[in-house]
Amino acid sequence: MSRAELSRVTGISSAGVTKIMTQMIREGLVRECDPSGAFSIGRPATTVEICPEARHVLGIHLGAGQVHIALSDAALNLSHTRSITYDLTEPVEDLIARVSDLARNVLHDGALPFNQILGIGVGVPGGVDPARRVNTHSVLTGWKGIAFAEAFEQSLGLPVVLEHNATAMAMAEACYGVGRAAESILYLLLGKGIGGGFVQTGAAERRSVVEIGHIVVEPGGRPCRCGGRGCLERFFSEEPLSALVGHPDLPRSKLVAAAMERPEWPQLYEYLLQAMSTTVTLFGPERVVLGGDFNGAPERFFADLRRDLPPRVMPQQRLKLAIERTSLDEPVGVQGAAGVALEQFLYSNGPLAAARMSHRQSVRV
């Protein structure tokens, strides 16, 4: 954008924009560039753009049984991705120590100046506290009140922010993926469970965990980890779908396609529609994005949803409702975690505050 465009969009005076841009250029966050091939009368306006390589964050996705870690630049381009698996019975202190060791290896491999790494985003299963410091609960892992942010700050010397994993993925889609043209996103993640996250952008920005997996679709049905009975997750997640298909070694990407060939599929699909229509009616998203094991589903699965879901929601909600598979590359979870860190430490609070906190942490550690 040109400075004039920035002034018009933000409402900041031209002099204010120039002052801010001068500081950001000095910090290496943005650069000036000439408009390519644009026709104009008189002297063409100089535009400014973000320097993606100027700042980085570390993304950590703590999935149920698997961890992904990567460095990300300011445009969510990942590098030095590393992964480990863990057993859900592993003591959380041991897991934090192993993840910290792997994170240090990633930072070492990246060989970036410490002042270019603004902070760490961590995606976790289950809810987080309002300050985004503590994983308050996770049905899948059994974690309760785990202060991951403090633990990783002490271990790695960088500021940390937590977010529910599916909500973090929704944020990444909203800012960098198929959701950029929509004002609200519902992201559904199929894996060991089935969870969701909702993100609304614009002036009324908000985000929320969506526990779609624990919507009761069969009252009095199968017992669930959450203590209820008949939850969607007991019928539509990796374990029950794998049992239905009867091939435990089937790749996750083929799970939905194989389940669709079973005679029990119409009932399972009906349960999914019940939960999705309830969720869409309550949250009113413009776009529903499906990831995890959903991403490998055949196109006819998405065609069925596009046909069957809209008639089950309010008429005004059908107007802009779109259903898409995730547009982000795997591992999507670490992209979500990195996106949360970018939002917190670059695009919201600013890099200077994060750099000062990083320095204090490194000195203390």
Side-chain angles (χ1 to χ4, degrees), residues 17 64 75 107 111 122 127 140 143 172 182 212 274 306 338 358 363:
V17 167
L107 293 171
V122 182
L140 280 175
W143 296 335
I212 188 172
Q274 285 182 32
R306 294 177 185 125
S358 298
V363 170

Side-chain angles (χ1 to χ4, degrees), residues 126-128 137 163-167 196-198 207-212 283:
V128 299
H137 70 279
E163 185 54 271
H164 170 246
N165 53 15
T167 306
F198 176 80
R207 51 185 164 177
S208 176
V209 177
V210 179
E211 294 286 8
I212 188 172
F283 284 89

Side-chain angles (χ1 to χ4, degrees), residues 97-354:
R98 288 208 295 138
V99 172
S100 296
D101 287 342
L102 188 63
R104 278 188 281 269
N105 291 337
V106 171
L107 293 171
H108 179 269
D109 292 345
L112 294 168
F114 193 77
N115 62 1
Q116 285 192 14
I117 304 172
L118 301 178
I120 302 171
V122 182
V124 294
V128 299
D129 70 317
R132 296 187 170 85
R133 306 280 298 168
V134 177
N135 189 188
T136 54
H137 70 279
S138 171
V139 173
L140 280 175
T141 64
W143 296 335
K144 292 183 179 179
I146 307 300
F148 281 113
E150 181 178 356
F152 285 127
E153 284 176 354
Q154 291 180 351
S155 177
L156 299 171
L158 289 164
V160 176
V161 59
L162 300 187
E163 185 54 271
H164 170 246
N165 53 15
T167 306
M169 296 176 206
M171 290 178 61
E173 287 285 1
C175 296
Y176 303 93
V178 295
R180 284 181 291 180
E183 292 186 0
S184 54
I185 293 283
L186 171 66
Y187 188 96
L188 300 183
L189 176 66
L190 178 62
K192 291 186 180 298
I194 177 169
F198 176 80
V199 169
Q200 181 173 313
T201 59
E205 181 177 333
R206 66 189 178 105
R207 51 185 164 177
S208 176
V209 177
V210 179
E211 294 286 8
I212 188 172
H214 299 287
I215 291 178
V216 175
V217 294
E218 186 180 278
R222 303 172 186 174
C224 182
R225 298 183 186 92
C226 71
R229 302 185 70 92
C231 297
L232 175 66
E233 190 170 288
R234 297 304 300 126
F235 302 92
F236 215 106
S237 60
E238 281 185 10
E239 182 181 337
L241 290 179
S242 294
L244 174 69
V245 171
H247 298 287
D249 298 327
L250 186 72
R252 291 174 49 186
S253 60
K254 298 182 179 180
L255 190 57
V256 174
M260 292 176 72
E261 302 303 320
R262 300 289 302 174
E264 297 90 345
W265 174 255
Q267 183 62 69
L268 298 181
Y269 178 62
E270 173 61 25
Y271 287 158
L272 178 65
L273 279 176
Q274 285 182 32
M276 287 184 67
S277 60
T278 298
T279 304
V280 170
T281 299
L282 291 174
F283 284 89
E286 289 187 2
R287 189 153 300 186
V288 178
V289 181
L290 284 77
D293 296 349
F294 279 129
N295 198 38
E299 186 55 38
R300 64 189 176 96
F301 170 74
F302 286 86
D304 288 348
L305 283 179
R306 294 177 185 125
R307 178 196 64 210
D308 298 331
L309 183 60
R312 295 178 178 231
V313 302
M314 298 292 289
Q316 64 271 25
Q317 294 176 325
R318 304 170 196 164
L319 298 177
K320 292 185 178 181
L321 184 62
I323 301 170
E324 310 281 352
R325 68 179 80 229
T326 182
S327 62
L328 301 176
D329 295 331
E330 293 290 348
V332 178
V334 78
Q335 294 209 47
V340 169
L342 287 171
E343 186 230 16
Q344 178 77 10
F345 301 123
L346 179 62
Y347 295 116
S348 291
N349 294 347
L352 298 180

